[in-house]
């Protein structure tokens, strides 16, 4: 039996994880130059188009080291902060981690964050300095930076170039030598951790798992411990790198997939434990923490899409990406839809695109919001603390005593020359300075506390702009804090459009209201009647814009004659416009909802 090594590849975004995974596949003979393509483990078109990894991908290969054959199971993980849940799931199924650092960029925000996750999971870590073939590479200097910042021995770093293949053999040997054998007892009761799943129209739900104890094979009657459902395994296999069936049982330490005619999406829960029905294990595995959604928005069907089609598409995608949550909701303007929670703005954008591509649905998306805690007067006369994810859920302002917003601890790594501009940006976003640390001669780490609502949309873009692309950031939720927040309603033609309502700081309400109305004015088409746009706090109007009516020269057909004929036509037109204004409806396009995002401080 070959020895087994289970590990994942973690790094900051664009440090070369997927390219290194490609090179490992080629070096171990799993793929050759004929059937090889860039980002071979990134199977979605969306991943290739954007050049990022969205889904963690598992693969099994073999490598011979010192005369022994090793089965290497590794998972290529995403690097963007919005997909940290994929990384946490991968870490739960591994015994070690390869931490990749760019030889030109050095240690960045997600490098630090992912290292902490790996240390918390008690994994053995191999640091890799990648892209050493580039002219601007500084491998020795970056290795010392890894030791200084991350606390890993600089002598343990392996210098590689995923592009040319240099150092990849040394990395494979180090994986076999340094990573431990998987723990687990083949003879014990079966315990397998589900770390991913996907839906297949013909075979049902395909479950990705790692066997912690015992064994699994075709014909076993298995039990899903959280749902209590039973199934009979019809196929088991490994990723080589495509799904390859095997007749041999998968034993403790093995990573693979199973098919068991699971037709209902709700029967599989990511993080659940699989065991044998006839010989169940004593307790389920701990798995990993449930993700905490940071950003919320509504999805509504549009065009030819029906509500049931959208529900089915979201259900399938939820199984494939367990880090977003959803629940049904209704809107007077948009009908029935779903309130969805995401880990960040990029995550939200990716989910929308995947729904439209994979689910073949057309959707309208409202502006994203964050969670707020509201302390308001309840029915019994006492103040009750409730959580809302939508400004439309806000109680009457006269009953509200406190509005608390989510606060994040933000770690920003930036070139020293940009420190002043970054601090100014954080102050504009109501940030609280915490600490400043040196990372090297020309880079520093800034620690700030910031309201989540101030950074979810364009903070990262502005950070990249200020630092010419060299700045990076990572953040995590620390709690909720009371502040002078108010609900700002948007009225279109005198009617409140709840989907456009936002919760803002009182000092910024008027400024944001004016910016929002100007953008709405650009997005909403002109009608045959005048449309007033207003921003209001309670009953007080704080800003107004007017969309002029479409001009129609009704007197063009009158030439010469008495002026009273023209007056009569103009009066008739005036009456018609007033009637249309009373009964006419204003169609609000998708871009208008997204205009809420770009109505910030203009910084």
């Amino acid at each position: 039996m070959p020895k087994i090594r289970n590990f994942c590849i973690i790094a900051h975004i664009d440090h070369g994880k997927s390219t290194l995974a490609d090179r490992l596949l080629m070096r171990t003979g799993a793929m050759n130059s004929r059937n090889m393509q860039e980002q071979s483990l990134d199977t979605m078109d969306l991943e290739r188009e954007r050049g990022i990894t969205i889904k963690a991908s598992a693969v099994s290969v073999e490598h011979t080291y010192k005369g022994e054959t090793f089965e290497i199971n590794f998972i290529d993980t995403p690097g963007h902060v919005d997909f940290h849940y994929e990384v946490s799931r991968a870490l739960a199924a591994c015994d070690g981690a390869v931490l990749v650092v760019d030889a030109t960029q050095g240690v960045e925000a997600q490098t630090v964050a992912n290292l902490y996750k790996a240390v918390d999971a008690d994994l053995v870590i191999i640091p890799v300095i990648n892209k050493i073939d580039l002219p601007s590479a500084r491998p020795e200097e970056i290795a010392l930076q890894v030791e200084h910042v991350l606390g890993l021995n600089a002598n343990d770093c392996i210098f590689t170039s995923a592009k040319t293949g240099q150092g990849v053999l040394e990395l494979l040997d180090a994986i076999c030598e340094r990573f431990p054998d998987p723990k687990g007892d083949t003879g014990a009761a079966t315990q397998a951790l589900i770390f991913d799943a996907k839906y297949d129209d013909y075979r049902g739900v395909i479950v990705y798992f790692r066997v912690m104890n015992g064994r699994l094979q075709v014909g076993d009657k298995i039990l899903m411990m959280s749902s209590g459902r039973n199934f009979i395994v019809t196929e088991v296999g490994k990723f080589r790198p495509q799904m390859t069936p095997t007749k041999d049982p998968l034993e403790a330490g093995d990573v693979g997939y199973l098919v068991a005619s699971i037709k209902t999406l709700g029967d599989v829960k990511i993080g659940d434990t699989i065991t044998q029905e006839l010989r169940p294990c004593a307790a389920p595995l701990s798995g990993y923490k449930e993700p905490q959604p940071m950003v919320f928005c509504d999805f509504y069907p549009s065009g030819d899409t029906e509500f049931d089609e959208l529900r089915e598409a979201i259900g399938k995608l939820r199984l494939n990406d367990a880090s977003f949550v959803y629940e049904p909701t209704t809107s007077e303007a948009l009908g029935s839809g779903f309130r969805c929670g995401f880990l960040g703005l990029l995550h939200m954008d990716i989910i929308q695109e995947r729904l439209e591509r994979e689910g073949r649905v057309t959707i309208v998306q409202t502006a994203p919001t964050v969670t707020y805690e509201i302390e308001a007067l309840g029915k019994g006369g006492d103040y009750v603390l409730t959580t809302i994810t939508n400004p439309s859920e806000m109680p009457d302002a006269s009953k509200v005593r406190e509005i608390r917003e989510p606060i994040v601890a933000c770690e920003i790594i930036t070139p020293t020359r940009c420190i002043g501009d970054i601090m100014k940006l954080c102050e504009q976003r109501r940030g609280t300075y915490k600490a400043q640390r040196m990372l090297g001669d020309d880079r520093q780490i800034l620690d700030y506390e910031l309201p989540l609502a101030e950074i979810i949309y364009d903070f990262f873009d502005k950070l990249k702009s200020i630092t010419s692309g060299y700045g990076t950031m990572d953040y995590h939720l620390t709690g909720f804090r009371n502040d002078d927040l108010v609900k700002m309603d948007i009225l279109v033609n005198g009617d409140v459009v709840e989907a456009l309502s936002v919760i803002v700081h009182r000092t910024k309400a008027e400024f944001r209201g004016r910016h929002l109305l100007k953008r709405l004015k650009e997005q909403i088409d002109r009608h045959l009647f005048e449309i007033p746009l207003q921003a209001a706090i309670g009953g007080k109007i704080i800003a107004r814009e007017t969309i002029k009516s479409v001009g129609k020269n009704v007197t063009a057909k009158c030439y010469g004659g008495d002026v009273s004929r023209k007056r009569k036509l103009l009066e008739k037109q005036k009456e018609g416009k007033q009637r249309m204004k009373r009964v006419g409806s204003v169609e609000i396009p998708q871009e208008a909802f997204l205009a809420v995002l770009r109505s910030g401080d203009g910084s």
Side-chain angles (χ1 to χ4, degrees), residues 422-437:
I422 297 294
M423 286 183 163
K424 183 179 177 182
L425 175 64
C426 291
E427 285 170 13
Q428 288 173 343
R429 301 303 174 93
R430 299 189 285 127
T432 305
Y433 172 82
K434 288 296 179 184
Q436 185 174 345
R437 292 168 282 159

Side-chain angles (χ1 to χ4, degrees), residues 226-388:
S226 74
S227 64
R229 295 297 305 275
N230 302 318
F231 303 97
I232 296 176
V233 178
T234 57
E235 181 184 321
V236 295
K238 295 186 177 182
F239 307 97
R240 298 191 179 276
Q242 289 79 26
M243 286 189 284
T244 307
T246 177
K247 294 180 180 178
D248 298 325
L250 298 189
E251 300 183 334
D254 281 328
V255 174
Y257 72 92
L258 67 82
V259 179
S261 300
I262 306 171
K263 299 299 182 187
T264 308
L265 300 169
D267 289 337
V268 177
K269 183 182 178 184
I270 307 300
D272 196 4
T273 301
I274 304 172
T275 190
Q276 302 276 4
E277 187 192 19
L278 299 177
R279 190 191 172 195
C281 58
L285 296 162
S286 57
Y288 29 77
K289 291 188 292 185
E290 285 291 317
Q292 185 174 17
M294 309 279 266
V295 180
F296 291 83
C297 83
D298 295 345
F299 286 161
Y300 295 95
S302 70
D304 297 331
T305 302
E306 299 290 336
F307 175 76
D308 290 339
E309 292 175 320
L310 180 59
R311 179 170 55 193
E312 185 181 354
I314 286 182
K316 288 180 181 178
L317 190 55
R318 169 74 170 86
L319 177 70
N320 197 238
D321 185 350
S323 56
F324 90 97
V325 297
Y326 68 95
E327 62 181 15
T329 186
T330 55
S331 163
E332 290 183 12
L334 300 167
S336 298
F338 292 95
R339 184 75 177 158
C340 303
F342 311 91
L343 299 179
L345 258 292
L346 177 62
H347 187 213
M348 182 190 76
D349 188 28
I350 293 295
I351 291 293
Q352 181 185 0
E353 281 207 46
R354 288 186 66 188
L355 276 174
E356 292 181 339
R357 291 188 186 198
E358 298 169 22
R360 295 183 178 86
V361 295
T362 308
I363 55 179
V364 171
Q365 168 200 327
T366 62
T369 60
V370 299
T371 306
Y372 292 92
E373 289 184 349
I374 310 293
E375 192 173 336
L377 205 59
K379 292 181 180 178
D382 297 325
Y383 282 98
V384 181
L385 188 66
T386 56
T387 301
I388 67 167

Side-chain angles (χ1 to χ4, degrees), residues 153-167:
N153 194 330
N155 295 325
D156 292 339
C157 293
I158 297 174
F159 296 165
T160 67
S161 168
K163 188 176 181 180
T164 65
Q166 183 181 349

Side-chain angles (χ1 to χ4, degrees), residues 8 10 87-97 113-125 183 210 287-288:
C8 59
I10 56 176
V87 179
S88 70
R89 285 161 48 181
L91 293 171
C94 293
D95 305 306
N114 287 333
L115 173 74
Y116 289 159
K117 289 191 183 83
V119 170
D120 289 343
D122 198 24
L123 302 187
V124 176
I125 298 162
K183 299 172 185 175
R210 176 191 165 173
Y288 29 77

Side-chain angles (χ1 to χ4, degrees), residues 502-513:
V502 289
I503 295 176
V504 296
H505 197 267
R506 191 181 296 274
T507 58
K508 291 190 170 187
E510 184 181 342
F511 189 81
R512 283 203 62 182

Side-chain angles (χ1 to χ4, degrees), residues 536-554:
I537 297 174
K540 183 182 178 184
I541 304 296
I542 59 171
R544 173 177 171 133
E545 289 285 339
T546 303
I547 300 175
K548 297 295 184 185
S549 60
V550 177
K552 182 180 179 183
N553 189 0
V554 293

